[in-house]
Structures are given as C-alpha cells and as structure tokens.
Amino acid sequence: AVVFLIDTPFVKQQRKIKGSEVVSWSKGVLGVAQKPVVISGPSGVGKGTLIAKLMKEYPSKFGFSVSHTTRSPRVKEIDGVHYHFAGRSKMEQDISEGEFLEFAHVHGNLYGTSIEAVESVTDEGKRCILDIDVQGARSVRASSLEAIFIFVCPPSFEELEKRLRARGTETEEQIQKRLRNARAELDQSNSPGLFDHLLVNDNLEACYENLKKLLSLDDDHKDSDGCFIEDGKATACYSIMSKTESEVFLQSETGEVVKAAANLLAVDLSSLTGGAPGRTRGLKIHSINSI
Ligand code: ADP
Ligand code: 5GP
C-alpha cells in the first residue's frame, strides 16, 4: 500500500488535473520525527502552565499544536497563538471535510486538533505538544499518529477547585461544570492502554522536573532530529512512476522541485514511520538522481 498519498485540497486538485496518483509535500522531514506529546488532565490542573514552561525553556525543541475551539477567548488569549477561535458551523464543516485529527465536545464547546496544527509544528522540526482532553487523547490513540500520552493529576480534588477558582477565567457555572467533568476525567486516567504516564502536579517545579525526565527517557530518537528538504517556493509535486515491494519511484511534475531534491526520487518504503498523518514524513530518500 502506498501510505503517503494525502488528500489535501492541493493533492485532490493535482490528482484531478493529472488523472493519476500524486505525492506532494511542502517540506519533507528526512529521518524519523520525534513522537508528539499528548498532555491531558482536568481543567485547572496546570497543563498550560507546564507546557508554557517547557516551551520557554526549549523554544527550538518544542512547538504547541494550536487547537480550534468554539469557546470565547479569555482576556489574555490571542487568536492563532492559544487557540484558533472558530465559529461552530465553519469548524463543523472543516471537520466533515477531514481536516481534523480529532475533535470533542468539552465543557459545552467544540474543540479539535487540525492536521495542519500538528504538521506545522513538525514541519519546523519541532516536537509537537498537544493539550487535549481525554476523549481527544482516546481519538489520537486510535489514529495513526504515534504519540506519548501523559495525564496530569491534581494532588487532591480540593486543590484542583482552588486552582480553577484562583485562575479567575471562568464563571461560577463554568467552574461547576469543569469540576463535574474533572471527576469523570480523573476516573479515566487509569483507563487501560490510554496513558503512558501519570504526573501529579503538586509542587510545580517538582512536577516540571518529572515531565522533563519523562520526555528525555521516553525519547526513542533523541539523537535524530531529522534534516530537512527546504521548502521551495511552491509545493513540489511528484507522480508515481513505478513501485516495487520496497521502493517507490517518483517523477517530478512541477519543475519547482525542492532545493535538495531532484527530478527523480527513489523512496524507501520501510522508512515511512513515526509520522503524522497528512503529509509525507520520515522519508528516507536513498537515491536521488537528476535526469
Ligand atoms: P490547565 O491548563 O490545566 O487548565 P492552568 O495551567 O491554567 O491549568 O493552571 C490553573 C491555575 O493553577 C493557574 O492559575 C496556574 O497558575 C495554577 N497552577 C498550576 N500549577 C500549579 C501548582 N503546581 N501549584 C499551584 N498552582 C498551580
Ligand atoms: P480550556 O477551555 O480550559 O482552554 O480547555 C478545556 C479543555 O479542552 C482542556 O481539557 C483541554 O485539554 C481541552 N482541549 C483543548 N484543545 C483541545 C483539542 O483540540 N481537542 C480536544 N479533544 N480537547 C482540547
């Protein structure tokens, strides 16, 4: 099976024009990309705080998957940075068109991770961090995205309530709803095969240290940061010339081939691992010829 044919609008259009299968990417990562990190936990437990610390300490290593949501922005939230704030009908439309990796109804609003959100981080060569709820974690588990799943627990329910109130971003009604949902989320934290790690966020610094430890311990590909075929002006587009059991030969179609690549590529199929769905990822192009 050719696993890297992607139904982006661009690919659909190219396929229609050419009447044949096409492969396209804007940036191909050579080498195995690092597994994204999914962080879940009840509202107010400190997920955002931990993620912000990680991104501040390692700005070039980690990137945040900016989710879409139908909830209203909080005072300090910036559209496109914390969330893509979206209208419900547009978001539902985009979901139905297959643009989302996962979505869920959480605390009365629709939240979701677009494929683009994960891909744009991975395209920068960074490890992607997703802050999503338990339903979302379940969906990602069931998807083709290989990730590490971490659940953050509060030291106690009382402390969770205290933090949520102290944050001062929700109405009383919203706080009550979030606390009710927290019980269900905490119940699911031990769901078999769902989370790889549980972290208790009691003392923030101690929890942060544990998070860091866990990420480097779990980092299967610590030393392979991947290298890039730099983005050309336009998306390079290749059509499939021929296939064998282990290789696919691609012929450039656009002429605007990415810098490091050439007109004819041979792609080793065994190297197609560890990627996010949506685009080519982790390709080992072991022979590149100009014709
Ligand atoms: P989440 O993203 O999980 O909803 P936040 O990161 O917004 O939670 O944290 C909720 C509140 O709790 C914030 O005001 C934050 O400053 C505070 N907080 C986070 N971690 C701790 C901790 N370990 N001890 C005390 N307060 C914390
Ligand atoms: P908040 O409104 O506090 O930002 O987020 C509420 C909950 O929605 C949190 O549990 C957060 O993890 C979750 N959430 C945020 N983005 C997404 C997403 O893209 N998908 C899913 N499933 N949950 C999300």
Side-chain angles (χ1 to χ4, degrees):
V2 178
V3 287
F4 48 86
L5 296 175
I6 317 130
D7 271 334
T8 61
F10 175 79
V11 168
K12 280 188 188 137
Q13 182 203 31
Q14 293 296 316
R15 190 178 292 149
K16 214 165 168 181
I17 293 169
K18 297 187 173 64
S20 67
E21 291 294 4
V22 296
V23 174
S24 97
W25 61 81
S26 54
K27 283 182 186 177
V29 177
L30 295 183
V32 180
Q34 290 191 308
K35 283 183 188 173
V37 183
V38 171
I39 300 188
S40 295
S43 183
V45 74
K47 301 177 297 297
T49 307
L50 288 163
I51 292 168
K53 277 175 85 68
L54 199 64
M55 307 258 299
K56 189 165 176 221
E57 187 172 350
Y58 303 100
S60 62
K61 201 168 165 54
F62 293 97
F64 185 60
S65 158
V66 181
S67 293
H68 282 65
T69 182
T70 60
R71 86 153 161 72
S72 313
R74 293 172 186 149
V75 174
K76 289 195 175 151
E77 284 179 334
I78 302 160
D79 190 28
V81 174
H82 300 93
Y83 280 104
H84 297 289
F85 295 99
R88 186 171 284 262
S89 56
K90 171 79 170 84
M91 195 169 157
E92 283 171 346
Q93 171 78 23
D94 292 347
I95 288 170
S96 73
E97 287 178 4
E99 290 181 17
F100 280 70
L101 180 64
E102 62 78 32
F103 64 92
H105 295 271
V106 192
H107 318 313
N109 280 295
L110 185 55
Y111 292 79
T113 308
S114 67
I115 291 170
E116 184 60 33
V118 176
E119 285 295 319
S120 61
V121 173
T122 317
D123 278 352
E124 287 181 351
K126 294 179 182 178
R127 194 167 187 189
C128 187
I129 304 183
L130 293 83
D131 174 347
I132 59 177
D133 87 316
V134 175
Q135 307 167 74
R138 226 178 259 288
S139 303
V140 175
R141 254 291 183 225
S143 80
S144 59
L145 183 69
E146 270 186 69
I148 291 171
F149 295 79
I150 300 172
F151 188 88
V152 186
C153 314
S156 68
F157 202 80
E158 291 66 36
E159 174 63 20
L160 180 69
E161 179 162 0
K162 217 166 94 187
R163 284 183 199 171
L164 201 48
R165 288 190 190 288
R167 190 170 69 187
T169 49
E170 271 76 29
T171 62
E172 180 57 27
E173 194 189 345
Q174 269 294 325
I175 289 173
Q176 292 301 336
K177 188 184 267 180
R178 284 171 181 247
L179 287 173
R180 274 197 307 277
N181 292 339
R183 293 202 187 269
E185 293 193 272
L186 290 169
D187 281 347
Q188 291 192 62
S189 66
N190 289 317
S191 203
L194 185 51
F195 292 102
D196 301 305
H197 305 279
L198 300 184
L199 275 181
V200 180
N201 183 17
D202 190 349
N203 174 279
L204 180 62
E205 291 309 320
C207 183
Y208 180 58
E209 287 307 313
N210 284 332
L211 173 65
K212 285 202 293 188
K213 218 188 295 178
L214 188 159
L215 287 178
S216 59
L217 275 178
D218 257 318
D219 199 342
D220 296 341
H221 308 289
K222 211 165 20 196
D223 298 316
S224 79
D225 276 338
C227 68
F228 293 86
I229 300 174
E230 277 299 324
D231 204 358
K233 280 221 166 53
T235 305
C237 185
Y238 292 82
S239 62
I240 297 174
M241 286 173 63
S242 64
K243 272 187 276 181
T244 67
E245 282 290 296
S246 58
E247 286 173 327
V248 171
F249 294 92
L250 305 173
Q251 166 81 61
S252 167
E253 287 282 338
T254 54
E256 289 158 318
V257 185
V258 284
K259 243 185 285 165
N263 291 336
L264 179 65
L265 302 183
V267 178
D268 182 349
L269 285 181
S270 68
S271 68
L272 287 166
T273 57
R279 288 180 209 167
T280 46
R281 178 73 60 227
L283 291 176
K284 189 160 75 192
I285 299 177
H286 66 97
S287 87
I288 299 177
N289 306 304
S290 286
I291 28 179

